[in-house]
Amino acid sequence: IIDLHKNEEELKRQMKGRWRNALKNGFKLGIDVEICKEKKDLYQIFDLYKVEKKRKHYDGINSNLLKKWYENTKNSGELIAFKGYKKSLDHNIFLGSIVINIHDVTATYLIAVNNSERRTNFLSNILLWESILYAKNNGCIFFDLGGIDQIKTPGIASFKLGLNPKLHEDNKLTISLI
């Protein structure tokens, strides 16, 4: 969890130096970020996510569940995509996207997709940072980075831990099968 009570500079100082430098280097690339809330944009990202999961052989969140989630959050939250682009002479080149869910005072990082043909260093840093600022500027007081699994996904865990979040465990979580 990241506490969004802090100002932007405090949030940056909280980051590990490597993450902060990656963000700085990302800004130098001139990546444009578009905020998308429309169904067609989100469904396009969910479909790309489904393809990426298959290509990279991981489970992640079920793409059909994400679509149902979108349909059911209209009155109790909001799914928002942050799309990264590089400007070209005649069009914008899609680089990747992340999707967050805002519910009450908490934003939660859900998924990320990258254009496998246009892999861009520091894109994820830019998109995640922009989503954190968006959440902060829209009334959220917490940003939940989602699960951090250092065994199954050490690269993703390292990326998230670079923001120096406050860690918590749900060690009392149980599931009853009836």
Side-chain angles (χ1 to χ4, degrees):
I1 302 282
I2 297 171
D3 180 355
L4 299 180
H5 286 104
K6 299 174 182 175
N7 68 39
E8 189 174 328
E9 288 309 311
E10 289 173 315
L11 290 171
K12 282 183 181 176
R13 275 194 305 274
Q14 172 182 304
M15 296 173 186
K16 292 184 179 174
R18 192 174 198 179
W19 214 99
R20 193 171 37 254
N21 289 335
L23 183 62
K24 193 182 310 179
N25 289 329
F27 282 132
K28 292 176 186 175
L29 297 175
I31 295 170
D32 290 322
V33 177
E34 177 184 357
I35 298 169
C36 305
K37 300 178 184 181
E38 299 298 320
K39 181 178 182 174
K40 68 175 182 63
D41 294 311
L42 285 156
Y43 275 40
Q44 178 187 36
I45 293 165
F46 298 158
D47 290 340
L48 286 171
Y49 180 66
K50 185 177 185 177
V51 170
E52 186 173 282
K53 288 188 306 178
K54 189 174 188 175
R55 187 176 56 79
K56 292 183 178 179
H57 308 290
Y58 68 92
D59 293 326
I61 301 172
N62 181 297
S63 296
N64 292 327
L65 178 63
L66 287 166
K67 290 176 180 178
K68 288 179 183 175
W69 194 343
Y70 172 80
E71 294 298 329
N72 290 315
T73 57
K74 292 177 183 170
N75 298 323
S76 63
E78 183 174 34
L79 294 181
I80 304 166
F82 296 79
K83 291 177 156 181
Y85 292 95
K86 189 77 175 167
K87 288 194 180 205
S88 176
L89 291 175
D90 55 346
H91 66 286
N92 290 335
I93 300 167
F94 173 73
L95 302 173
S97 180
I98 70 167
V99 176
I100 66 170
N101 177 47
I102 292 182
H103 184 77
D104 291 331
V105 295
T106 302
T108 304
Y109 175 53
L110 296 178
I111 64 170
V113 294
N114 289 298
N115 181 341
S116 60
E117 297 166 10
R118 308 289 266 164
R119 183 89 172 110
T120 305
N121 288 335
F122 317 122
L123 173 66
S124 296
N125 301 78
I126 295 289
L127 294 175
L128 186 52
W129 178 246
E130 290 295 328
S131 68
I132 290 168
L133 292 181
Y134 178 90
K136 177 177 176 45
N137 293 330
N138 284 276
C140 291
I141 57 174
F142 300 109
F143 194 96
D144 186 341
L145 292 169
I148 296 177
D149 187 336
Q150 295 179 326
I151 305 300
K152 291 182 182 176
T153 55
I156 294 169
S158 176
F159 173 72
K160 291 178 178 183
L161 290 170
L163 288 163
N164 270 333
K166 180 180 176 199
L167 300 177
H168 66 91
E169 286 188 36
D170 290 332
N171 60 359
K172 292 182 173 72
L173 179 66
T174 60
I175 298 173
S176 299
L177 299 175
I178 298 174

